[in-house]
Amino acid sequence: MRHEEAVGIFYGAFVILGLTIGLGVGYFTSHLIAGGFIGFGIGIGLGLLSNAILYINKD
């Protein structure tokens, strides 16, 4: 698997995971929209972190 493909898979997985967790927490706290935005932000942040880890391991 190429580096770019792995980064794309990690971004997609973390964004979906972050949104799912954020919407779940938002549903139970009655803040569905805020939970979605927070989950999206967490997913992007984890995607950036995975990109950095893959980049470091590539060298």
Side-chain angles (χ1 to χ4, degrees):
M1 181 181 303
R2 292 192 335 236
H3 181 261
E4 294 83 17
E5 291 173 355
V7 170
I9 290 171
F10 275 117
Y11 269 117
F14 282 132
V15 167
I16 290 172
L17 181 66
L19 275 174
T20 303
I21 292 171
L23 289 174
V25 170
Y27 176 76
F28 288 114
T29 61
S30 299
H31 293 86
L32 195 61
I33 294 174
F37 282 121
I38 291 169
F40 183 74
I42 290 170
I44 292 294
L46 289 174
L48 289 169
L49 181 64
S50 70
N51 186 15
I53 291 170
L54 287 174
Y55 184 74
I56 289 170
N57 288 336
K58 182 180 167 185
D59 290 338

